[in-house]
Amino acid sequence: MSGLQLIDITKRYGAVTAVDGISLDVNDGTFVCLLGPSGCGKTTLLRMIAGLEDPTAGEIRLQGDRINETPAHKRNLGMVFQSLALFPHLSIGENISYPLKIRGASRADCEVRVRELLDMVQLPGVENRAITQLSGGQRQRVAIARALAVSPQLFLLDEPLSALDAKLREAMQVELRQLQQHLGITTIVVTHDQREAMSMSDQIVVMSNGKVEQMATPIEAYKRPASPFVADFLGQANLIRVQGSEAGAAFSGGNIPGLDLPAGGQTLISIRPEDIVVTADEGGPVKADIVFIREMGSTIEIHLDAGNERIIALAPPKSHCDLRIGTSVSLTLPPEACVVFGADGAS
Ligand code: ATP
């Protein structure tokens, strides 16, 4: 069921339109990431869902009820901010029980719930310690425990992991996802990190300039991007301008046999580096010269010039030990791996 519905939501700050007519449905129990470059409106959208900003236009519904006028503290949601906003003068236990106390819970009930929550975020027994005695990752867990204290219907997080180092960040991504799956709570996370969004979510919402470019499962958005923007934003993409010909789509570097397009008209296509096949002979449909190679550990990244296009391909290690900068090679661009965008950029 679609528990949260945004209907044509717009937010303007004077002349700036931060969110521009966004409609989306979030099903109960799903993990959704709002993803996009800085300034695209992610935080503004999350804050409107939380009740911390009023939409200029549009409607927000929770379980079918309009909540535009419901104040933040009555929306039954838990929120984790980028800054965490923990109270440094309160103990860990007091931080976590703060929202419970505001709701009038007894001291004994608070103590039981704090122990439960600390077990859940894998920090048992630290309730009497000071916030200042915790590492970044541990503070993160306390902020999560506090947000979940009131068993919210909706769990909202704004760049929750951005202050953590890369390794801890990956570990916390797994923990956060496991916690969400265990609780089955509808969760919306704002991030500008596409790897984070791809690895955690059921659905990603790719945003640009206050609008939704695509809402889809991570794999669908990666394999079938709705626009060149999505293709480029989610990992690496080769965007190539082609035109229809008898030998398949053609560009300055050669042909893509099997990719049939109307003859003459120009179109943009996208293909992922790992889908391009590099072979050491020169007889293939696309001729290219290697201009740069770098070892990435589990793959080799090869930069090639094919006609007027710069193309990036990924190959397994050791398979190309005879390839060097300056070598001429052939590329195969499998037609089934190409996403064709219309003349206006839409797929
Ligand atoms: P970031 O990843 O940098 O946090 P974002 O995608 O979350 O970016 P928002 O913070 O939602 O983007 O901002 C969207 C646009 O709205 C930006 O142009 C921003 O400058 C503008 N904006 C946000 N809040 C306000 C405000 N209170 N007053 C005026 N303009 C604002």
Side-chain angles (χ1 to χ4, degrees), residues 11-14 16-19 36-45 47 53 82 158-159 190-192 207:
K11 178 69 183 179
R12 287 192 204 95
Y13 297 105
V16 177
T17 303
V19 170
S38 185
C40 72
K42 310 177 292 290
T43 294
T44 305
L45 190 61
R47 288 176 62 83
E53 297 282 352
Q82 191 173 352
D158 189 358
E159 299 273 5
V190 161
T191 180
H192 61 267
M207 293 174 58

Side-chain angles (χ1 to χ4, degrees), residues 24-26 32 203-206 212-217 220:
L24 48 95
D25 288 357
V26 176
V32 175
Q203 297 269 311
I204 53 175
V205 178
V206 184
V212 172
E213 290 270 333
Q214 185 169 15
M215 179 171 184
T217 63
E220 201 180 324

